[in-house]
Amino acid sequence: MKWNIRIAMLACLLFIGCVISFGGAKTHEAKIVPATASDPLNAIYIVEGQEIRLVEGRSEIESAPGSASKVITSVFGKPVYGNIDGEGDADAALILTYDPGGSGTFYYVAVALNANGFYLGTRAILLGDRVVPQNISVRNGVIVVNYANRAIGEPMATPPSVATSKYLVLERNVLKEIPSPTEGEAVIDGWVIIGHEVRSFLPCSQERELWLPGNSPALNEVMATYRKALPGRIPYTPLFMTLAGKTTGFTPEGFGAEYEASFFASQQVHVFPQGNCKSDLIYVESPLPGSRIESPLSIWGHARGKWFFEGDFPIALVDANGEYIAQGYATAKSGWMTEMFVPFESVIKFKTARSGSKGTLILKKDNPTELPEFDDALKISVFFNE
């Protein structure tokens, strides 16, 4: 019932004038069956206010009743998959070409949300006319599209040559564009910790924590979001965020003097509690970073097929001293010989460590070659209950 309600709610966000009933009660709702598909290439998207139903990645409709000219919409390249809405299942992001029959070919980006195996297309957001898409990716709930565009004022006959990136996130199942960072800034994933003596950001690309200075435009929003997202958690629990900004030099202010450098955060792009620095390969839905755990511990999430070997991969739990207190395996819940994300689960038992002490859950990529260059692992900080 839960999934049926979610599918209905998502469908209604995409289509105006629809009707659904739960237990006899009617609500304003969309036609669910036509709105869903078992594959992103056969879903319905909204382009320029018009419903576009794809069939094997393509749509052709009359530009006007009785007209011989067609409006052609098709998928450019292949969809990419990742957890976009935070619900666990692998959603899809894709680029659409839209040819209304004139001289232009317009490129859009859209998302197909995975609701228990049914895909619901969103409204598409314009990239540009006759641009050159290069790649699209999903990273901790943020969609990144890289493409070549023209400089402002250049004629359409000029080949696109300006490297451009567009960042998008899903808010209440609506795809929204994030303002592009200013010159010299970048969009960066990492861990934020806010506390009495700590105000830090640890980018995925670095090994040192950076101080978040008081003059950062996004600081108040970051602090408020941190406290709202982690109510009741143990102090100094890391929260995964995507921030726009730049690394700056040493800051002599207060506790900032203990850090070698700072991060000037101009914009809070996205907050993704289940995010991590390896989300293109594996993400865990439970336990989340900073969770209190006890034995037996249930673990589940999604990993790409190459993270498994023979359908499983090793899991370990270590205490604050790095001592192993539990080891086991996570098992694929569907076919693992694929490049796609595969659901996994595991249950491990352990002797409880000191209450409140810190531990680390380690999910290791299975490496049958035993060659160190193929090793990989995701580490999640947790705390022990009594």
Side-chain angles (χ1 to χ4, degrees), residues 128-131 148-162 164:
D129 180 11
R130 285 165 281 181
V131 297
N149 204 348
R150 297 169 190 81
I152 296 175
E154 284 189 329
M156 294 303 297
T158 303
S161 60
V162 179
T164 307

Side-chain angles (χ1 to χ4, degrees), residues 67-305:
S67 173
S69 64
K70 304 287 186 180
V71 177
I72 300 175
T73 307
S74 61
V75 175
F76 180 88
K78 295 181 179 180
V80 295
Y81 294 84
N83 188 2
I84 297 173
D85 61 2
E87 294 291 339
D89 290 329
D91 308 300
L94 65 166
I95 296 173
L96 299 172
T97 63
Y98 180 76
D99 183 356
S103 60
T105 299
F106 300 88
Y107 289 79
Y108 290 80
V109 59
V111 164
L113 298 176
N114 184 345
N116 201 29
F118 293 95
Y119 286 90
L120 303 165
T122 65
R123 288 177 171 83
I125 290 183
L126 178 67
L127 295 177
D129 180 11
R130 285 165 281 181
V131 297
V132 180
Q134 295 166 336
N135 56 66
I136 180 172
S137 62
V138 176
R139 194 177 68 198
N140 295 301
V142 180
I143 301 156
V144 185
V145 185
N146 297 311
Y147 59 102
N149 204 348
R150 297 169 190 81
I152 296 175
E154 284 189 329
M156 294 303 297
T158 303
S161 60
V162 179
T164 307
S165 296
K166 192 178 288 288
Y167 301 87
L168 309 103
V169 297
L170 201 70
E171 292 185 4
R172 298 182 180 180
N173 298 315
V174 176
L175 191 59
K176 292 188 176 181
E177 181 181 353
I178 297 299
S180 298
T182 60
E183 186 176 354
E185 295 186 343
V187 175
I188 300 176
D189 295 333
W191 300 97
V192 170
I193 298 178
I194 303 294
H196 176 62
E197 302 174 355
V198 177
R199 212 165 66 207
S200 67
F201 179 54
L202 177 61
C204 287
S205 58
Q206 298 189 24
E207 296 182 356
R208 60 174 184 172
E209 293 180 332
L210 305 175
W211 175 251
L212 290 169
N215 64 341
S216 293
L219 180 60
N220 288 338
E221 183 182 8
V222 168
M223 294 174 66
T225 300
Y226 180 90
R227 295 189 179 105
K228 182 178 180 180
L230 299 175
R233 289 288 178 91
I234 291 178
Y236 309 114
T237 295
L239 177 65
F240 202 86
M241 291 190 182
T242 302
L243 303 178
K246 59 184 177 181
T247 301
T248 57
F250 172 76
T251 301
E253 65 175 38
F255 295 111
E258 300 177 7
Y259 296 77
E260 296 180 6
S262 302
F263 185 82
F264 180 83
S266 61
Q267 181 183 177
Q268 177 183 291
V269 175
H270 198 46
V271 179
F272 211 59
Q274 59 272 70
N276 67 75
C277 295
K278 297 182 183 293
S279 65
D280 58 330
L281 296 172
I282 181 172
Y283 56 89
V284 176
E285 296 162 58
S286 183
L288 296 179
S291 295
R292 296 174 181 265
I293 66 169
E294 57 186 25
S295 182
L297 174 63
S298 295
I299 305 160
W300 66 89
H302 288 73
R304 293 200 184 271

Side-chain angles (χ1 to χ4, degrees), residues 345-386:
E345 63 180 29
S346 177
V347 177
I348 57 174
K349 297 181 179 180
F350 56 92
K351 293 183 178 179
T352 302
R354 180 172 58 85
S355 177
S357 64
K358 187 175 180 180
T360 303
L361 179 65
I362 306 173
L363 296 90
K364 302 178 182 179
K365 178 184 176 184
D366 203 330
N367 178 13
T369 70
E370 298 186 357
L371 297 174
E373 58 264 36
F374 296 114
D375 285 342
D376 206 351
L378 172 63
K379 297 182 179 180
I380 299 176
S381 296
V382 293
F383 296 93
F384 295 101
N385 269 337
E386 294 183 1

Side-chain angles (χ1 to χ4, degrees), residues 51-55 57-61 71-75:
E51 295 181 9
I52 302 294
R53 176 189 290 276
L54 298 182
V55 177
R58 184 177 175 87
S59 166
E60 292 188 14
I61 58 177
V71 177
I72 300 175
T73 307
S74 61
V75 175

